[in-house]
Structures are given as C-alpha cells and as structure tokens.
Amino acid sequence: MEHTRNDRKQNRTTKSMRRTLRREVPSTVGLLADAEDFAAMAEYRTFTFQDHPTYLQQVDALLRTLAAQGLHTSVTLFDPEEFAEFCTTAGLDPDRPETRARFTAHAAAHGACVAYEGQPLDSLVPTLVNEALRQATWDCATLLLADLGNCAECGQDIGREAFERSSHLLVALLKGAGTGLHHLVCSVPAEAEQLLAVLHVEVAEDGIPELEDDEGAEFVTVLAAGVALESPGGIVLRTTRDGEPDRVHGWRLDRGSLAVLTAGEVFSAYCTDAETGDPVSPEPGVEYCAGYALDDTPGSRH
C-alpha cells in the first residue's frame, strides 16, 4: 500500500515537472493567411479543414489556449509552394502532419515570424504579411548588391561601397531633419520588383536618433541598391513635431546621390496615386517642402 502511494506521488511529481518544462518550450503556429493558400493545402487528404473561415477560428482558439497556458507562441506564414519545394528537397511525404510541423519550424527559422500577444487575427495577419514582405525586400536587395561584384576600374566591392555611401546619406538625412519623429520611405525600381523600405526614427534633443538596427540596415540596403544601380528611385521624409504641422521633404536618386526635389515635386509625388496616377487630395495640416541640402561627401560611385 505504501509502495502504491509512493508511486502515485512520484507520478504526480513527474507530471508537474513535465508541465513546468513544457512552459519553457516555445510553440510555433504556421498560418495559411489567405483563402488561396488554404485551398492549396486542402488538396492533401490529412488536412481536414473544410473552409478558410473555420480554419482561422480554430487557429485563433489554439493561439488563445496556448497563451492561457503561459506558453510563448509565435506565428509564421505557411506558404504551400515553399512547402512543396521543401518536401521535394528533403524527400518527405507532404501529406503527413509531422511533415507540415517540420516545415513550420523551418519557415519560422528562415522567414518572417511574429510573437502572439493576444492580438486578434485580423490584426496579426497584416502584421505578419508586412513583416514577410519587408524581409523579402531586404533579401532581394542584399542579393542584388552581392551579385554586382567588384568594380572593373578600382577593384572595390560595388555593393559594399554602395552600402557605406547609403549609410552616410541616411546620417545626413537625419542630421538635416533635426528633432522630432521622422517617417522615411525609400522606393527603388529593380529588375524583378519594386523595392520599398520604411523607417521610423525619433531624434531627441541630444540629436541622437533612436532606431531599430534591423530597420536601419534594411533601409540602407534598399537605398544602396538604388545607389549602385543608379536607379531613378527616391526618398520621402515626413517629420512630426508637437504643436507644428507635419512637414514633408523629398529627394530623387541621381547618379548615386540624392538630388533635392522642389516643393511642387514633393506635392506631386505625395498627392498622386502610385498605381493609377490619379491625384490624391492633400492632407490637411501638412506642409509640402523642398528637400534640404545634404552634407554629402562624394564617396565611391559605380
């Protein structure tokens, strides 16, 4: 009898230890963000969901359950095409749940991933998609710079030189902008796609910008692609300060440097629909200003 009680106590202790350890193991959920991706996965026999809305409801319930258990959970995009390539490369059967689990871990390690903090799916999904687009843009610009090789005249790495020059240009932009909250957008047309980088920076009274390293590196990388290719892209900077109207400045890429846009050109760029070319009403309380001159050392231009 005593032996049985000891066994039960030992079992309870073991289960408690496992529950404690489980709370220290992160969870990752692969999400089919749109109906098209869901339809592709619904072709597999072991994928039992019948419609996308029900699937999203179940994912939301799962995320809330994991959070209630105190588990750290992250969400990554589940791309059916990448999943099929992953299975082919690894020699795995795609119609098995454990294969989908392996791909989810792979996608989280190599792609965009967002921590679940109780936000609803209609908020989480756009954040995750934007993060995936941001990372894809960064990867594309990085590969583009890496493929440029060395300059035939001076032997320098063209991509590295362009990155260093773009870092200097970003510093010059922020120095000229002064204090306030700054929103910068860099747009660079590339051969495969339009590269777009967004950067939010706050510059305090001490003049030191506060920005995330990843965002700064992404912005500089996209700008470097435009510098190296001598692309016709450009930058728009919007500054917000308490008690003042927002001010918008602009520059265009010109032979590896940034040329100032006039106030009229900034207005036209900011108040034109990029897809249709139709005019867009200007925002009230916003001043459209010429770009300011940059402290721009020549640097290397290829």
Side-chain angles (χ1 to χ4, degrees):
M1 189 71 176
E2 183 66 26
H3 179 70
T4 301
R5 284 198 295 269
N6 288 338
D7 286 345
R8 290 175 179 172
K9 182 178 180 181
Q10 181 63 37
N11 288 337
R12 287 196 297 270
T13 301
T14 300
K15 290 180 180 179
S16 176
M17 293 172 62
R18 287 176 180 171
R19 285 195 296 268
T20 300
L21 184 60
R22 177 70 184 93
R23 286 195 292 270
E24 299 185 18
V25 178
S27 297
T28 305
V29 175
L31 177 66
L32 297 163
D34 58 47
E36 183 177 351
D37 287 345
F38 176 87
M41 293 305 298
E43 297 294 327
Y44 295 110
R45 178 184 56 83
T46 58
F47 189 81
T48 57
F49 293 96
Q50 300 299 316
D51 62 87
H52 194 230
T54 300
Y55 162 79
L56 291 178
Q57 292 173 3
Q58 293 301 315
V59 169
D60 184 57
L62 172 62
L63 291 172
R64 286 188 278 108
T65 298
L66 293 172
Q69 295 173 356
L71 302 178
H72 174 76
T73 305
S74 56
V75 183
T76 187
L77 286 178
F78 195 106
D79 187 301
E81 291 185 3
E82 292 183 4
F83 173 64
E85 293 176 2
F86 173 82
C87 293
T88 300
T89 302
L92 299 172
D93 181 359
D95 204 358
R96 297 183 65 86
E98 56 266 34
T99 303
R100 293 193 288 272
R102 287 185 60 173
F103 174 73
T104 296
H106 170 83
H110 298 88
C113 206
V114 173
Y116 177 71
E117 299 174 338
Q119 63 270 51
L121 280 186
D122 58 2
S123 172
L124 187 148
V125 170
T127 300
L128 184 57
V129 171
N130 287 337
E131 179 66 18
L133 291 173
R134 186 189 69 81
Q135 184 164 328
T137 297
W138 191 357
D139 291 343
C140 180
T142 300
L143 289 173
L144 189 153
L145 290 175
D147 289 342
L148 292 175
N150 297 332
C151 176
E153 296 181 2
C154 66
Q156 295 294 320
D157 186 303
I158 297 175
R160 184 181 296 113
E161 291 289 330
F163 189 91
E164 292 176 357
R165 174 161 178 73
S166 298
S167 298
H168 172 80
L169 289 172
L170 177 58
V171 171
L173 283 166
L174 296 178
K175 182 178 179 181
T179 60
L181 183 62
H182 308 298
H183 176 83
L184 298 93
V185 178
C186 178
S187 177
V188 173
E191 182 177 346
E193 60 181 292
Q194 183 84 9
L195 300 179
L196 189 71
V198 178
L199 181 63
H200 301 276
V201 185
E202 185 170 4
V203 179
E205 294 296 333
D206 58 10
I208 299 176
E210 300 178 7
L211 72 161
E212 297 292 333
D213 289 343
D214 284 353
E215 289 187 358
E218 176 197 354
F219 188 90
V220 169
T221 302
V222 170
L223 177 56
V227 168
L229 296 176
E230 297 191 349
S231 167
I235 290 178
V236 172
L237 182 149
R238 178 168 178 162
T239 298
T240 301
R241 298 189 183 95
D242 290 339
E244 299 180 15
D246 283 9
R247 297 173 63 87
V248 179
H249 303 270
W251 297 261
R252 70 174 181 275
L253 278 165
D254 181 25
R255 291 173 294 179
S257 188
L258 290 176
V260 170
L261 293 179
T262 67
E265 289 172 326
V266 172
F267 179 89
S268 177
Y270 216 81
C271 298
T272 301
D273 189 293
E275 294 184 358
T276 66
D278 296 333
V280 178
S281 299
E283 294 183 56
V286 175
E287 296 181 359
Y288 301 93
C289 313
Y292 45 83
L294 302 176
D295 178 16
D296 181 18
T297 57
S300 298
R301 304 182 190 183
H302 302 275

